[in-house]
Amino acid sequence: MLKKSNSIVLSCLFVWSCSIPSTNIDTISDSTEVKSEKISQDETQDLSGIQFFMDGMMFMEQGEYSRAIIEFQEAIEKGSNSAEVYYSISEGYWMIQKYDKSIYYALKAIEKDPITPDYKISLGKKYIALNDLNASLEIFEKLAQNETSNAEILFIIGDLKSELKDIDGALVYYQEAYDKDNSLTLALEVASQLAIEFNHRDSALVVKKLLLSNPSNPEYLKLYIESISQKNSLSDIESLLDNDELKSNPFINNLYNQLAYEYLRNGYYDKSEEFFEKSLEINDKDRFALYYLSTLYRESGKFDQSIALSEKHISSYPDDQEGYINKSISLLSLQRFDTVIQELSNALKLFPEDFEVNYFLGLAHYSLKEFESAEIFYQKALSLDTSSIPAMHALAMVYDQNKKWDKSDKLYTDLITINTSDAQAYNNYAYSLIERNEDTDYALTLAKKAIELSPKTSSYLDTIGWIYFKLNDFEQAKEFIGQAIVYDESSSVVLEHYGDILIELNELDEALIFYNKALDLDEENLELIEKISNYNSREPNE
């Protein structure tokens, strides 16, 4: 990261230090100092005036500023009253901290010679030292109108505008300074830092200009990556990769990462995969690329590739739990619950206090219907993040399975209190009540609220249909659970419920069809097997 400097000081390094006077005349002598050699002798000027001026310059060099001022004034009295003499008096008064008099004589020098820019530059920098930035800016802006090729003056104007919080103006002048003198990359560095600091709309453009001034500079590329935001054109960023010099930048894989991430945020998943893969071609252990590409593969159903990258992540960074989590989520998607438990049990030794490790262990045990174990891990997860809504839902469900209904009811009530639009909490609470045949009217009220909030959710339609079934309103039950199947026919529970309703409506042959569909999804459901067996063993005329 480029280090930010005081912008006013940066500009003055080019021309003259505007610090409070020291005891050495060298502190103000530089490329803009009006040197004694520049004195043009007037034909009518008294030679003694010249001598007084030369004596004054000698005293200045010796640090005897008050004596020098006297000599310069004698020079004026003897007829040597050129702009250089007034300028020298101004410098003498500056060195003894008589600032008002220094400004007065600086103005006199400009009055004597309004053409030479050096006197104006000197006065402008005096105003900077006195913190009269507006007065200084006025001088330098007028100078810039005539000194159109002077990059240093443009740089100083940029600094002044920066200090005066005119960020737009500062960025314009910094870039103009660089345009006049391409060796002045410092102007672009300062502009880039300023644009990023103020989150300027053109920050990426300014930093891109800096990067293109030296594409192989890793610090410039880092800065450019920092400036990238969602406002940037992704195709414009990608076009940078046509620059061969940039491709040799040691930081190039980070640009691939950032471009991939921006494509990911904007929903271009194929492009995101492409650039994360490019990053890993350069550095196959890049942690950022390993994590996100593994996630992308998993989201697109490439579970084997996702697992392979997660294993690489774990191998390269065994102290990073993200590799374990990514692998476990892929394994959960493949319903390899035993493997998940094995993987996360190892991770638990390294990260016993990690929320996700405990949460997904709970989920794996729950999926295997190992509800006692699931309860342990869900409780731990919730203790690590007491505000986690998913953990509260999961623990309420496992309490329900373990018949700890006082605890599940409390969690459902808490969830509804926290968020009165939590349709899942209304639904699950309703289903819990109806399954244990408690408070049927309240269960129906909760189920209706869930449907109101989410009318096309299959499981919510099944819940309210099942409540009507328990209330012996089989037609209503058939209507709601029929809708549930339309939206999702992948639940064996919903299919079995529909079969139960059809039995009550004496639609036996159709009921058998749905029972068999349910059994295809849940082959070890003994209760369902018994229902089908009972149907098959009935008498033909029954």
Side-chain angles (χ1 to χ4, degrees), residues 283-339:
N283 178 8
D284 65 352
K285 293 184 179 180
D286 186 285
R287 186 189 307 222
F288 189 85
L290 285 170
Y291 172 74
Y292 278 102
L293 187 55
S294 174
T295 302
L296 273 168
Y297 283 154
R298 187 184 73 241
E299 294 289 335
S300 60
K302 301 174 184 177
F303 297 115
D304 290 340
Q305 290 171 267
S306 175
I307 290 169
L309 283 182
S310 297
E311 289 174 345
K312 178 78 172 178
H313 190 157
I314 294 167
S315 173
S316 301
Y317 307 100
D319 294 332
D320 184 358
Q321 65 266 41
E322 293 297 343
Y324 300 92
I325 298 300
N326 241 353
K327 182 177 180 181
S328 297
I329 295 174
S330 290
L331 291 169
L332 284 167
S333 301
L334 294 171
Q335 299 187 19
R336 293 166 57 183
F337 305 120
D338 288 322
T339 309

Side-chain angles (χ1 to χ4, degrees), residues 98-138:
K98 300 285 187 180
Y99 302 130
D100 288 344
K101 288 188 175 181
S102 177
I103 297 296
Y104 170 80
Y105 281 100
L107 290 168
K108 290 286 287 184
I110 294 170
E111 182 183 331
K112 283 285 182 180
D113 182 359
I115 303 301
T116 303
D118 296 338
Y119 305 128
K120 297 173 185 177
I121 291 173
S122 175
L123 177 60
K125 287 185 283 188
K126 285 183 172 65
Y127 281 131
I128 291 174
L130 295 172
N131 204 33
D132 191 348
L133 304 184
N134 286 302
S136 179
L137 180 60
E138 182 179 353

Side-chain angles (χ1 to χ4, degrees), residues 22 42 80-81 91 94 98 125 149 197 223 233 245 267 271 333 374 386-387 398 414 450-451 477 489 497 531 538:
S22 70
D42 191 274
S80 181
N81 63 347
E91 295 298 281
W94 185 262
K98 300 285 187 180
K125 287 185 283 188
S149 63
E197 178 186 351
L223 200 64
S233 165
E245 192 177 347
K271 276 284 192 180
S333 301
T386 56
S387 63
V398 83
D414 289 344
I451 292 296
E489 56 179 356
H497 283 171
K531 288 179 182 179
R538 71 183 175 83

Side-chain angles (χ1 to χ4, degrees), residues 183-219:
S183 69
L184 201 57
T185 53
L186 181 59
L188 288 181
E189 290 181 3
V190 176
S192 298
Q193 288 286 7
L194 185 67
I196 291 174
E197 178 186 351
F198 285 90
N199 194 26
H200 194 272
R201 61 186 178 279
D202 294 331
S203 58
L205 294 175
V206 176
V207 183
K208 180 181 177 181
K209 191 171 187 177
L210 174 64
L211 174 60
L212 291 176
S213 73
N214 185 2
S216 62
N217 187 317
E219 294 298 322

Side-chain angles (χ1 to χ4, degrees), residues 10 442 486 541:
L10 280 175
Y442 185 46
V486 169
N541 59 352

